[in-house]
Amino acid sequence: FETYHGVFVNVQYCITVRLQRRFAKDQREAINFIVQSPGQSAPTQLKDKPVPFTLEPGNLKNVRGRALDRIPSFLITGCVDTVVCDITKPFTGSVQVDHCDHRIRSIELQLVRVEFCAAAEGVAKEAT
């Protein structure tokens, strides 16, 4: 199996070495490593498909009602080059601030992975 770290499933590989000494304290060291199976790739319909996005006050999911009135007007556009990410390759895309009513001090990007796990009881969905 390939190495995978998720919310519901964790597949990891570790090498543990123990050095036994006769006149000194034993030493132990553990190192995690990643396993990637060659030849496995994402479905072709998802591979290298750019995904454009637009951010503005009206499409923010965590802001409602009066709080929305206090947010300055802004428009941020961009594109994520692919939604299927190889761990050995850089995550690429672009972000452009088209306009903002207030001065911008910094921009912070947060990547959120959504993991699905199907079981007899239904599908569990978790964002990490």
Side-chain angles (χ1 to χ4, degrees):
F1 298 103
E2 287 192 351
T3 301
Y4 177 75
H5 297 279
V7 176
F8 301 105
V9 177
N10 191 12
V11 178
Q12 68 184 47
Y13 298 90
C14 180
I15 295 176
T16 303
V17 177
R18 190 177 88 194
L19 177 64
Q20 293 178 324
R21 298 183 186 183
R22 196 175 249 178
F23 300 108
K25 187 177 177 183
D26 290 354
Q27 281 188 310
R28 173 176 251 162
E29 186 69 38
I31 299 172
N32 286 329
F33 61 96
I34 294 175
V35 173
Q36 186 175 5
S37 300
Q40 292 184 351
S41 62
T44 45
Q45 70 267 23
L46 294 175
K47 207 173 205 175
D48 298 330
K49 182 179 178 185
V51 179
F53 63 87
T54 301
L55 298 173
E56 53 191 340
N59 65 12
L60 297 177
K61 292 181 181 177
N62 60 346
V63 181
R64 300 273 187 257
R66 292 183 185 195
L68 193 58
D69 296 336
R70 293 189 300 259
I71 295 177
S73 176
F74 66 88
L75 177 62
I76 298 173
T77 58
C79 183
V80 176
D81 290 339
T82 181
V83 294
V84 178
C85 303
D86 184 343
I87 195 167
T88 62
K89 295 189 172 111
F91 184 78
T92 58
S94 63
V95 175
Q96 178 177 320
V97 178
D98 294 322
H99 80 81
C100 185
D101 287 350
H102 289 217
R103 184 176 142 243
I104 298 173
R105 292 185 208 151
S106 67
I107 294 176
E108 180 179 319
L109 299 177
Q110 179 182 13
L111 303 177
V112 177
R113 177 181 72 185
V114 178
E115 182 177 322
F116 296 90
C117 184
E121 298 82 27
V123 177
K125 179 179 171 182
E126 184 77 27
T128 59

